[in-house]
Amino acid sequence: MDSTMAIFNAEITVLDYETTGSVRGFPTEPWQIGMVTLKGGKVDPDSMFESLLRVEANRPFNPHAPGRHAVLRDEIAAAPSPKGLWPQIKSRLTDHPLCAHNVATEKKFLRAMAPMHQFGIWIDTLRIARRVWPGCASYALEDLMVMLDLKPRVDELCPGKSAHDALYDAVASAMLLEHLLAQPGWGDVTVGELVSL
């Protein structure tokens, strides 16, 4: 993967996981994944993808874990496992720059999904937002959407969804990156320069 590539020539996969949260005696597991592609510096609505991920029916969730997992519990128990879903989404996650808002969670669960695969470059919209918009009261993704007036567009692209839905958050992170790249002076930025911010 060429880190000197202009960002507008790259296809960036933006992803988000929702998780069970921390519960004593159980590893934290993902129960939902959402993805969207940024092409030419713009969110591609046709590239949106989401899937529930299997979490066994008798496995407890942290009661404070956000998202709609409580109402989807039966569907989550019958969903594909992360490793079972991997062949379907592998092409979107290999040989492309990857992006998330606070990449640590996504890196962790992607490594668990495909432990033998070496993933490429990661762009962190949280880290970028802290550099580009210093002094914000909050860098939570939903707060940045409101502050930058991006929420109406995310709502339009993800009707019926809200923050802490994996697809909604992936689209929100992609919209944040699209907004940044539309600012004066960002037209010639490379993938590597975004990674290093």
Side-chain angles (χ1 to χ4, degrees):
M1 194 175 309
D2 182 5
S3 65
T4 65
M5 180 186 296
I7 201 70
F8 287 101
N9 294 331
E11 287 193 12
I12 302 166
T13 299
V14 186
L15 67 152
D16 183 78
Y17 283 101
E18 295 300 319
T19 77
T20 57
S22 178
V23 177
R24 184 187 300 273
F26 294 88
T28 302
E29 296 179 64
W31 63 268
Q32 188 183 40
I33 184 172
M35 293 187 291
V36 67
T37 303
L38 205 74
K39 294 180 181 177
K42 301 283 186 185
V43 172
D44 176 13
D46 294 333
S47 70
M48 294 192 301
F49 172 88
E50 64 181 326
S51 178
L52 297 176
L53 298 168
R54 184 183 311 138
V55 175
E56 297 303 327
N58 60 352
R59 191 250 193 252
F61 280 57
N62 183 309
H64 303 292
R68 299 183 315 122
H69 52 82
V71 299
L72 297 171
R73 201 62 188 88
D74 291 342
E75 294 172 60
I76 292 169
S81 70
K83 288 181 181 171
L85 186 66
W86 173 248
Q88 183 181 344
I89 62 176
K90 176 182 177 182
S91 65
R92 299 189 63 169
L93 297 168
T94 56
D95 301 320
H96 293 282
L98 302 176
C99 175
H101 195 71
N102 193 7
V103 300
T105 297
E106 281 65 37
K107 278 185 174 181
K108 173 183 173 182
F109 291 121
L110 208 47
R111 278 196 302 263
M113 184 180 261
M116 300 304 291
H117 187 78
Q118 295 295 317
F119 294 97
I121 295 172
W122 283 89
I123 297 165
D124 190 337
T125 55
L126 173 63
R127 198 168 70 223
I128 292 170
R130 286 176 171 157
R131 292 283 302 274
V132 174
W133 297 289
C136 291
S138 168
Y139 290 95
L141 189 55
E142 57 266 41
D143 294 334
L144 289 169
M145 291 301 97
V146 172
M147 181 189 89
L148 298 169
D149 197 28
L150 300 174
K151 188 176 185 308
R153 179 71 175 135
V154 179
D155 290 344
E156 178 187 331
L157 289 170
C158 301
K161 299 187 183 300
S162 59
H164 304 298
D165 172 274
L167 179 60
Y168 187 95
D169 287 354
V171 170
S173 186
M175 286 298 306
L176 183 60
L177 190 52
E178 179 184 298
H179 178 77
L180 171 75
L181 295 174
Q183 303 309 300
W186 288 86
D188 298 323
V189 72
T190 67
V191 172
E193 286 169 336
L194 272 187
V195 169
S196 66
L197 280 178

